[in-house]
Amino acid sequence: MNQFSYQHGQLHVEACASQDLAHTYGTPLYVYSRAQLTHNWQAFNQHLPKPHRACYAVKANGNLAVLQVLAHLGAGFDVVSGGEIARVLKAGGRADSIVFSGVAKSHAEIEYALDVGILQFNVESLAELERINQIAAERGTSAPVSLRVNPDVDAKTHPYIATGLEANKFGIPMRDAVAAFKRAHSLEHVHVVGVDCHIGSQLTELAPFLDAMDRMLALVDELAAIGIEIAHLDMGGGLGVTYDDETPPAVADYIQAMLAKIEHYPQLALYLEPGRAIVANAGILLTRVEYVKPSDKKDFVIVDAGMNDMLRPSLYQAFHRIENTSTHQHGEAQKPCDVVGPVCETGDFLGQERKVKAAEGDILAVFNAGAYGFAMSSNYNTRVRPAEIMVDGNQVHVVRQREQLEQLWQLERTLEL
Ligand code: LLP
């Protein structure tokens, strides 16, 4: 199922013509498809019957409407800050469906999470465990904890988004895990509910997930032998999507392979924290061609979206398919081109060495922009961040207005000179 298809000579999002959207709401413009989002969520949900569950990783796209649609479908949430907890609650998500990851949980964030009653803390260090215990004690309560263990598995992905190697800052090293669980078990104001890991993002093979799972299950066995029962095995997120020609495992195969591994663990619930696989292909970024600047070897297609709107190509050399929304401009351009933005950095590009045909005023679509797109945007170069809209059939909802310039400096003050 794909909600982004060419009809009547131009790209449509569900029933809406992309160029009409660009003209009505302006560019750059993030456009999400509710149907695609729903479909992606259902793929996870249908293969994870209770007590298993998927907790959507809010960091991939925290727009309130995205969270609302998912909450409405019964999603759980994986968050990494007090801000993300607040977003989930604001969008109608349940506190008791939230798992709280992240290496630097502050005192205030832990208090907040305890007060609203989250499902579990994914604890990343012994120091954090002690802090949670102390804060829970002050409040006369007990915190549900899962310890994040670093399984030391190579996720075979971009080094910036690999997290499960010993060299990374995340989790408790496997060799210290049993001692950490013993400590947790002995503390009065935490109760151990789980073990978790997250080995990286944009993984396109099953093997690293299954390898990590074997290591986690060996730990579950070791803990059982000393009387520590684990109820939740949280394997994190990380399932990749097709940006170019990658062939990541299908959601069903990924989940079934994992469930098969816990067949003989009737007490164990599998938790997953998918982000990208839920939202990436549910969103595109529409951008207008400002100028086409020819040069000998290649042309520069200069568009109105830059690295501040969509950072992934600049930061990770990530590939995003870029197409002209008009089929009249399909087919290969004579010369390769770089699709570049307005930001004053050489690294400000959306795509390099492409064969996109484009003329001034054309609307281009950057695909698979729903995950880590708007979420990583900034105001660099004093650029207002784009609007976000959600298409639902032939209806359009503005789910975030385009920023206004005055908002960019509303918190700033000049000196009295
Ligand atoms: N759980 C934890 C603990 C995580 O750290 C992450 C992502 C996820 C779940 C969700 O992973 P996903 O299913 O989306 O792969 N900005 C980068 C991705 C950073 C991912 C960080 N952690 C990018 O644009 O590729």
Side-chain angles (χ1 to χ4, degrees), residues 13 30-34 61 66 282-283 370 374 388-391 399:
V13 181
Y30 276 98
V31 187
Y32 308 129
S33 155
R34 179 176 178 183
N61 186 328
V66 170
F374 187 91
E388 296 173 282
I389 61 176
M390 189 178 287
V391 170
V399 296

Side-chain angles (χ1 to χ4, degrees), residues 58 79-89 100 109 112:
V58 174
V79 304
V80 290
S81 67
E84 287 191 349
I85 296 177
R87 261 187 188 279
V88 168
L89 299 181
F100 188 5
E109 287 176 321
Y112 178 44

